[in-house]
Amino acid sequence: MILFYYPAACSLADHIALIETGLPYRHLSINHERKTEDGRDFLSLNPKGYIPALELEDGTILTENPVILNYIADRSGKLLPADGLVRWRALEALAFMSSEIHGSYQPFFRDFPEPEKLRAREKLARHFSILSGQMGGKEFLVSDEMTIADCYLFWILMVAPKSGVELPVNLQSAFERMRARPSVVRAFAEEGLA
Ligand SMILES: N[C@@H](CCC(=O)N[C@@H](CS)C(=O)NCC(=O)O)C(=O)O
């Protein structure tokens, strides 16, 4: 499998999940001309132009972060229970973070006008408070076992400072615990991050 990524972008969640599950993978970055590190035209692989994209062994390309994370969990039998409430809570949290929170980061990625940033900050503060309540004193977001939701949560929390919204204490601690995991340390090294 090949993970197409930009350093420090939301593909970091999939990168961490691949390492955590032990599935074999390669990681190839995309440059500003949308060429892959192995010289292919990324838009012809993924016309959406976004990362993450995952190329399977038969050349099939999967896109959309929640789907790629689900695929990694399904292939490995790790990071998502096969049934039970933890599974549904993890998928629910993944959908919430990918649609509501990632979406609310747009004004800070693209330097939108201040009123839009203000609205986004208000929304993010509410959303972080919901995640904080859900996490409570647990080790991970939906359970004491790590799930794919935590891989995505890590990236969401890493980017939060760009918005200027302060993280609740338990989310900040979760971020620091995740940052120290060997999978995260390795993903950072492989993406050339400090
Ligand atoms: N709906 C997509 C969104 C992915 C996305 O927004 N990726 C960003 C990086 S975090 C990207 O590739 N942006 C490049 C661009 O907008 O040209 C998903 O959930 O996978």
Side-chain angles (χ1 to χ4, degrees):
M1 280 185 284
I2 298 176
L3 176 67
F4 293 105
Y5 76 102
Y6 296 138
C10 57
S11 42
L12 184 60
D14 313 275
H15 198 167
I16 293 168
L18 283 165
I19 298 170
E20 283 283 342
T21 56
L23 289 172
Y25 71 94
R26 290 168 62 209
H27 54 290
L28 294 179
S29 63
I30 313 297
N31 70 15
H32 289 303
E33 285 80 45
R34 294 213 158 103
K35 282 262 182 253
T36 66
E37 211 177 324
D38 60 355
R40 290 182 280 168
D41 172 28
F42 184 57
L43 281 179
S44 68
L45 294 172
N46 174 18
K48 293 173 183 168
Y50 295 133
I51 55 81
L54 188 71
E55 184 174 26
L56 309 184
E57 289 79 354
D58 66 357
T60 302
I61 300 283
L62 282 182
T63 62
E64 301 301 325
N65 221 329
V67 171
I68 294 175
L69 287 168
N70 264 281
Y71 181 83
I72 292 168
D74 208 59
R75 274 280 294 261
S76 63
K78 293 180 183 162
L79 294 181
L80 190 67
D83 52 33
L85 192 59
V86 167
R87 175 183 178 85
W88 305 116
R89 288 289 179 231
L91 295 178
E92 179 186 60
L94 204 51
F96 178 60
M97 290 186 284
S98 113
S99 59
E100 302 298 329
I101 302 188
H102 191 171
S104 298
Y105 281 155
Q106 286 311 317
F108 309 102
F109 290 151
R110 304 204 188 276
D111 205 21
F112 282 18
E114 199 49 42
E116 290 190 44
K117 288 186 179 169
L118 194 63
R119 271 196 298 279
R121 277 191 202 103
E122 285 166 3
K123 203 168 162 188
L124 284 168
R126 280 201 307 280
H127 291 344
F128 291 154
S129 159
I130 287 167
L131 289 180
S132 170
Q134 178 160 31
M135 173 160 244
K138 292 193 296 305
E139 181 78 8
F140 295 102
L141 183 59
V142 299
S143 137
D144 280 320
E145 301 291 320
M146 185 173 173
T147 69
I148 46 175
D150 298 289
C151 300
Y152 200 81
L153 177 68
F154 176 77
W155 179 77
I156 289 286
L157 300 179
M158 184 177 94
V159 173
K162 267 188 193 299
S163 70
V165 179
E166 203 174 323
L167 289 175
V169 174
N170 62 344
L171 294 184
Q172 183 60 39
S173 305
F175 172 75
E176 283 156 23
R177 281 196 302 277
M178 280 286 292
R179 179 67 185 85
R181 285 180 81 83
S183 60
V184 175
V185 172
R186 181 172 146 195
F188 268 54
E190 289 181 352
E191 296 196 8
L193 306 173

